[in-house]
Amino acid sequence: MELDKKHGFMLQWLIGIGDLVVLNLMFMLVYVLLDPIYTQAIVNNLREVILLLNFCYFFSLYFIPIQLHRSIVYLDKVVQRAFGVITLLIFLFATCLVFLNVGDVLATFLLVYYISTIVVFSCWRVLVRLMLKFYRRKGYNFKKVVIVGAGKNGMELFKVMKDDISSGFNILGFFDDNLALKDILPNYLGTTDEVEDFVIRKDIDEIYCTLPGTNDEKILRLLNFAEKHMIRFYIVPEFYRNVKKSMVMEILESIPLLTVRREPLQAFYNRALKRTFDIVFSLCVLCTIFPILYIVVGFLIKRSSPGPIFFKQKRTGLYGYEFECYKFRTMKVNAEADTLQAVKDDPRKTKIGDFLRRTNLDEFPQFINVLKGDMSVVGPRPHMLKHTEQYSALIDKYMVRHLVKPGVTGWAQVTGYRGETKTLEQMEGRVKRDVWYIENWSFFLDLKIIVVTLLNMFRGEKNAY
């Protein structure tokens, strides 16, 4: 069964109804199971409170709309958006209850409802997505599409669409003016002059155009045709053959602009959230764990070799500016500290220093840098000035990693790129992961990196030396 254009929003409505069922069932479950002392404020206004809850859900969808029905949605994004919807919903709901003078009494109820609903609602959304993918694999809920242009971009687009049939694409074939392709492609449909008739006859849902820019007249003709017949039209830019990455569209008045990457941390809200978390997290560490570490570790460092407890080194920070990075000293005082990277079985290391490195405890003074604003809890690791100078000349995207603050831990470190970089390929792998982090930042990703880092601290890391 193909996707009916007239009922294209039906799936969203069904998901929305399911959302409401989950939200209301969880509300009643918590209401019944929780001690009446925490729910007595709404006993006499239960229907009104439930109505308010449902209203807040619809208002939340205005900011975080349902996207489960889209062709490609990753499960981690499903969970992230579910968390966002419930958090916004509870915030709005609690705010309204405060104005009704019942918010304080319901604080415990709201907290229990919030935590339990996040878990159940996320599982519900993931289940819906998995069911939809299964449904599409069976050949239902698909969109009929054609690709105009069978060049390199067209073939790559075809491969991506065909790789996962659960995306819901039914590709009928290609149109191209190169008649030689007729004997090569098993699904060659004709020349570009035949697109309109075929699309009308077969009731095509979407047209994907991969023609080169020199065919602007043909592209414009097809675009106008698609607009007139309410068919969605997509263009794969010609330069994608050379720039193999996603790009972001921005608008300068009426002029479209393409930027080479999306940067979530360019948004003020995301920067404020990350900075607030940095301050709170670093203060918690510096006021609880760090004083004990400083006394114990500082004593052992002093016993191991003469010199200061802290090791201070100039490193490259945000936008390439230098800052003084703090660590617990893990080596004997030496003249090569600012030029020579630590290696396995490094003779400069002290016994306590080797332990500190393997457990990441040597990095704890960097929470002082986080509180000062030089660093973040999570981000690309700051490198020595010599490394910045050396690798920026060898790796094209090396300096991109400095578009955000460096971190105490980072995505590269928890995915196998911690420690010494013996080869250029290893550094390229680290930079690739740093750039990926910048382009895909989310608060949940930061939390994930922190959790994995903590687990690695207890397990120990083979590359930590």
Side-chain angles (χ1 to χ4, degrees), residues 97-113:
L97 292 177
V98 167
F99 282 108
L100 294 175
N101 295 319
V102 294
D104 293 337
V105 181
L106 286 175
T108 302
F109 173 83
L110 288 174
L111 180 61
V112 174
Y113 178 64

Side-chain angles (χ1 to χ4, degrees), residues 20 45 82 117 120 136 262 273 288 305 327 375:
L20 288 173
N45 301 291
T117 303
V120 176
R136 286 173 174 169
R262 63 185 291 271
L273 176 62
T288 55
S305 67
K327 294 180 70 174
M375 293 178 64

Side-chain angles (χ1 to χ4, degrees), residues 99 173 213 253 262 279 359 365 370 436 445 462:
F99 282 108
E253 291 189 357
R262 63 185 291 271
I279 293 172
T359 56
V370 174
W436 184 91
L445 180 59
K462 64 178 181 178

Side-chain angles (χ1 to χ4, degrees), residues 262-364:
R262 63 185 291 271
E263 295 180 53
L265 285 173
Q266 283 292 91
F268 172 77
Y269 167 80
N270 290 335
R271 290 202 309 273
L273 176 62
K274 188 172 177 66
R275 181 57 186 153
T276 301
F277 177 79
D278 286 344
I279 293 172
V280 172
F281 194 91
S282 60
L283 278 174
C284 289
V285 172
L286 292 174
C287 294
T288 55
I289 304 173
F290 184 74
I292 301 172
L293 271 179
Y294 182 80
I295 294 171
V296 176
V297 172
F299 173 75
L300 294 175
I301 290 174
K302 285 290 189 180
R303 286 287 304 270
S304 65
S305 67
I309 296 175
F310 283 168
F311 170 67
K312 302 177 184 179
Q313 185 180 65
K314 291 285 186 180
R315 298 207 175 182
T316 310
L318 182 65
Y319 297 128
Y321 290 110
E322 300 175 8
F323 73 99
E324 198 164 58
C325 182
Y326 303 117
K327 294 180 70 174
F328 281 127
R329 183 170 60 86
T330 58
M331 294 184 176
K332 302 168 187 174
V333 177
N334 64 93
E336 298 176 314
D338 291 330
T339 57
L340 187 61
Q341 189 179 20
V343 297
K344 191 174 183 179
D345 301 323
D346 198 311
R348 297 173 298 168
K349 285 190 298 183
T350 61
K351 290 183 179 180
I352 182 60
D354 188 58
F355 171 77
L356 293 175
R357 283 177 173 271
R358 281 189 287 106
T359 56
N360 291 316
L361 292 176
D362 63 320
E363 312 286 2
F364 268 77

